mmCIF file of all heavy atoms in Angstrom:
data_model
loop_
_atom_site.group_PDB
_atom_site.id
_atom_site.type_symbol
_atom_site.label_atom_id
_atom_site.label_comp_id
_atom_site.label_asym_id
_atom_site.label_seq_id
_atom_site.Cartn_x
_atom_site.Cartn_y
_atom_site.Cartn_z
ATOM 1 N N ALA A 107 -11.126 22.682 -5.494
ATOM 2 C CA ALA A 107 -10.955 23.518 -6.703
ATOM 3 C C ALA A 107 -12.101 24.520 -6.858
ATOM 4 O O ALA A 107 -11.918 25.601 -7.410
ATOM 5 C CB ALA A 107 -10.870 22.627 -7.938
ATOM 6 N N MET A 108 -13.284 24.155 -6.381
ATOM 7 C CA MET A 108 -14.458 25.003 -6.590
ATOM 8 C C MET A 108 -14.552 26.166 -5.583
ATOM 9 O O MET A 108 -15.392 27.045 -5.730
ATOM 10 C CB MET A 108 -15.753 24.170 -6.519
ATOM 11 C CG MET A 108 -15.897 23.139 -7.619
ATOM 12 S SD MET A 108 -15.577 23.768 -9.270
ATOM 13 C CE MET A 108 -17.082 24.698 -9.547
ATOM 14 N N LYS A 109 -13.667 26.171 -4.581
ATOM 15 C CA LYS A 109 -13.707 27.265 -3.584
ATOM 16 C C LYS A 109 -13.195 28.569 -4.199
ATOM 17 O O LYS A 109 -12.569 28.559 -5.263
ATOM 18 C CB LYS A 109 -12.846 26.890 -2.375
ATOM 19 C CG LYS A 109 -13.503 25.825 -1.523
ATOM 20 C CD LYS A 109 -12.714 25.616 -0.242
ATOM 21 C CE LYS A 109 -13.367 24.516 0.570
ATOM 22 N NZ LYS A 109 -12.430 23.802 1.403
ATOM 23 N N GLU A 110 -13.445 29.668 -3.511
ATOM 24 C CA GLU A 110 -12.963 30.977 -3.987
ATOM 25 C C GLU A 110 -11.550 31.217 -3.456
ATOM 26 O O GLU A 110 -11.262 30.907 -2.288
ATOM 27 C CB GLU A 110 -13.880 32.099 -3.468
ATOM 28 C CG GLU A 110 -15.296 32.039 -4.022
ATOM 29 C CD GLU A 110 -15.349 32.104 -5.544
ATOM 30 O OE1 GLU A 110 -14.488 32.803 -6.146
ATOM 31 O OE2 GLU A 110 -16.212 31.431 -6.137
ATOM 32 N N TYR A 111 -10.684 31.768 -4.303
ATOM 33 C CA TYR A 111 -9.305 32.060 -3.875
ATOM 34 C C TYR A 111 -8.923 33.468 -4.310
ATOM 35 O O TYR A 111 -9.322 33.916 -5.387
ATOM 36 C CB TYR A 111 -8.325 31.042 -4.475
ATOM 37 C CG TYR A 111 -8.584 29.640 -3.969
ATOM 38 C CD1 TYR A 111 -9.349 28.743 -4.722
ATOM 39 C CD2 TYR A 111 -8.108 29.229 -2.736
ATOM 40 C CE1 TYR A 111 -9.625 27.472 -4.261
ATOM 41 C CE2 TYR A 111 -8.378 27.954 -2.253
ATOM 42 C CZ TYR A 111 -9.134 27.081 -3.020
ATOM 43 O OH TYR A 111 -9.414 25.831 -2.548
ATOM 44 N N GLY A 112 -8.107 34.127 -3.488
ATOM 45 C CA GLY A 112 -7.671 35.490 -3.792
ATOM 46 C C GLY A 112 -6.484 35.516 -4.748
ATOM 47 O O GLY A 112 -6.190 36.536 -5.368
ATOM 48 N N SER A 113 -5.790 34.394 -4.883
ATOM 49 C CA SER A 113 -4.612 34.386 -5.772
ATOM 50 C C SER A 113 -4.395 32.980 -6.318
ATOM 51 O O SER A 113 -4.891 31.988 -5.752
ATOM 52 C CB SER A 113 -3.371 34.806 -4.982
ATOM 53 O OG SER A 113 -3.085 33.810 -4.014
ATOM 54 N N LEU A 114 -3.630 32.923 -7.414
ATOM 55 C CA LEU A 114 -3.291 31.625 -8.018
ATOM 56 C C LEU A 114 -2.516 30.770 -7.022
ATOM 57 O O LEU A 114 -2.767 29.567 -6.888
ATOM 58 C CB LEU A 114 -2.413 31.851 -9.260
ATOM 59 C CG LEU A 114 -3.155 32.224 -10.538
ATOM 60 C CD1 LEU A 114 -2.154 32.686 -11.589
ATOM 61 C CD2 LEU A 114 -3.970 31.048 -11.049
ATOM 62 N N SER A 115 -1.582 31.413 -6.312
ATOM 63 C CA SER A 115 -0.738 30.617 -5.417
ATOM 64 C C SER A 115 -1.541 30.024 -4.262
ATOM 65 O O SER A 115 -1.303 28.882 -3.853
ATOM 66 C CB SER A 115 0.457 31.428 -4.917
ATOM 67 O OG SER A 115 -0.025 32.545 -4.226
ATOM 68 N N SER A 116 -2.560 30.761 -3.759
ATOM 69 C CA SER A 116 -3.331 30.177 -2.648
ATOM 70 C C SER A 116 -4.192 29.023 -3.148
ATOM 71 O O SER A 116 -4.385 28.032 -2.430
ATOM 72 C CB SER A 116 -4.159 31.248 -1.927
ATOM 73 O OG SER A 116 -5.039 31.858 -2.837
ATOM 74 N N ALA A 117 -4.687 29.109 -4.386
ATOM 75 C CA ALA A 117 -5.478 28.003 -4.947
ATOM 76 C C ALA A 117 -4.599 26.763 -5.116
ATOM 77 O O ALA A 117 -4.985 25.642 -4.758
ATOM 78 C CB ALA A 117 -6.074 28.416 -6.289
ATOM 79 N N LYS A 118 -3.395 26.975 -5.653
ATOM 80 C CA LYS A 118 -2.475 25.837 -5.871
ATOM 81 C C LYS A 118 -2.092 25.192 -4.545
ATOM 82 O O LYS A 118 -2.054 23.983 -4.407
ATOM 83 C CB LYS A 118 -1.224 26.297 -6.630
ATOM 84 C CG LYS A 118 -1.527 26.680 -8.079
ATOM 85 C CD LYS A 118 -0.282 27.113 -8.821
ATOM 86 C CE LYS A 118 -0.652 27.536 -10.241
ATOM 87 N NZ LYS A 118 0.484 27.884 -11.061
ATOM 88 N N GLU A 119 -1.819 26.058 -3.577
ATOM 89 C CA GLU A 119 -1.431 25.565 -2.249
ATOM 90 C C GLU A 119 -2.549 24.720 -1.631
ATOM 91 O O GLU A 119 -2.303 23.673 -1.024
ATOM 92 C CB GLU A 119 -1.164 26.782 -1.363
ATOM 93 C CG GLU A 119 -0.173 26.559 -0.239
ATOM 94 C CD GLU A 119 0.056 27.872 0.494
ATOM 95 O OE1 GLU A 119 0.659 28.809 -0.101
ATOM 96 O OE2 GLU A 119 -0.407 27.979 1.636
#
Side-chain angles (χ1 to χ4, degrees):
M108 295 312 285
K109 287 188 182 152
E110 295 302 326
Y111 296 97
S113 67
L114 279 169
S115 60
S116 59
K118 291 181 182 184
E119 208 176 292

